[in-house]
Amino acid sequence: MTTQHVRIRYTKQGRIRFVSHRDVARLFERAMRRLHLPVAFTEGFSPRPKLSFGLALTVAHESEAEYLDVELTQAIDLESLPIELTAALPDGFVVEAAIAIEPGCASLQQAIVSCEWSIEIFGAAEPEICAAIERVMAAPELPMERIRKGKPTVADVRPALLHLEVVGPTSDGVELAAHLATESVSLRPAELVDLLGTDLIEGKVRRRKQWMIVDGARCEPVSPPGSSTRHALVRAS
C-alpha cells in the first residue's frame, strides 16, 4: 500500500487555549473526517487514526508552533491542506504548513530538544525580576523536587535553562523570553517562575518555537537544516 507521511504545523491561540491536549486530538480527527482525508488506521479491536502529536501544551498556554504527524493511505496535494484544515477546525487554530516526511523518521516526541517561550509574570518590578534572572543564570546548580513514580526526588534543572532574559513590561507585568530544554532534563514555564521567586505569578504564556537537531543543525520540525536554519547550540551561562 502506498502511504504518505505528513507533518503539520499549526497555532493555538485565543479561547481555544483552554482546550486540553486530548481534546485537540479529537478536534483534528473530526476535521480530517470532514475533509475526507485518507487517514490510515491502526489494526486491532479498536482502530485509531494514525495521528502523532508533539509535546503536550499546558491548558491555558498559547502556541505559535505546534506540530502533528499523520499517516495517509494515499498521497494528496499538500499545498491546499493548510487552508482547508484551518477552515474545518474551530476558531483559534491556524494550520500554517504541511510537508511530506520520510517514513520511519523520529517521532515529534523524540525529535524535539528544546522550546522557546514568552512568559508573562506578575508580582515584582522589572529590576527585581532582572536580579532574579541573574541569580538563576549564575547558579551552577538548580535543584528542584519532583515526584517520580510516586516518590519525591531532587533533580538539577540548571542544564535545562538554556537562555532567559527580560523582554520588557506588559500592561500588568513583565514579559520574559526563555529557551528551555525538553530532553532528559526538562523545565516547564511554571517551574521556571517558581525558581525566580515563590511570590511571582504566571501570566500569559506562549510557546514561540520548537527545535530539533538534524545532522548537527538546529531546525524547526517542518524545515530541513540549511543555510537559513543553522544555529549554534550554545548553553547560556
Side-chain angles (χ1 to χ4, degrees), residues 8 10-13 15-33 48-49 51-63 66-68 85 88-95 207:
I8 293 168
Y10 65 95
T11 65
K12 182 186 180 187
Q13 301 183 64
R15 296 183 63 182
I16 205 70
R17 71 186 186 275
F18 296 110
V19 172
S20 71
H21 184 71
R22 180 171 294 182
D23 286 336
V24 168
R26 293 193 182 103
L27 290 170
F28 269 90
E29 291 175 14
R30 186 181 307 166
M32 290 179 183
R33 286 198 302 270
R48 299 293 305 167
L51 274 63
S52 177
F53 285 81
L55 303 173
L57 185 68
T58 300
V59 173
H61 289 182
E62 294 186 324
S63 179
E66 295 301 289
Y67 298 92
L68 159 66
L85 198 49
L89 288 163
D91 290 343
F93 289 115
V94 176
V95 178
R207 182 147 57 192

Side-chain angles (χ1 to χ4, degrees), residues 5 23 40 48 86 130 139 146 162 188 200 204 215:
H5 295 254
D23 286 336
R48 299 293 305 167
T86 297
C130 288
R146 288 172 167 171
L162 305 176
R188 297 188 295 271
L200 298 178
K204 184 177 181 180
D215 296 331

Side-chain angles (χ1 to χ4, degrees), residues 80-147:
S80 61
L81 183 59
I83 293 175
E84 294 172 352
L85 198 49
T86 297
L89 288 163
D91 290 343
F93 289 115
V94 176
V95 178
E96 296 185 327
I99 64 167
I101 58 174
E102 292 294 327
C105 67
S107 70
L108 289 164
Q109 296 276 354
Q110 296 171 322
I112 301 299
V113 298
S114 65
C115 296
E116 293 183 28
W117 299 88
S118 168
I119 305 171
E120 183 182 37
I121 54 177
F122 310 128
E126 186 172 329
E128 297 171 337
I129 293 173
C130 288
I133 289 175
E134 290 181 6
R135 171 178 56 80
V136 298
M137 294 302 292
E141 296 182 348
L142 291 170
M144 175 171 286
E145 184 173 299
R146 288 172 167 171
I147 303 298

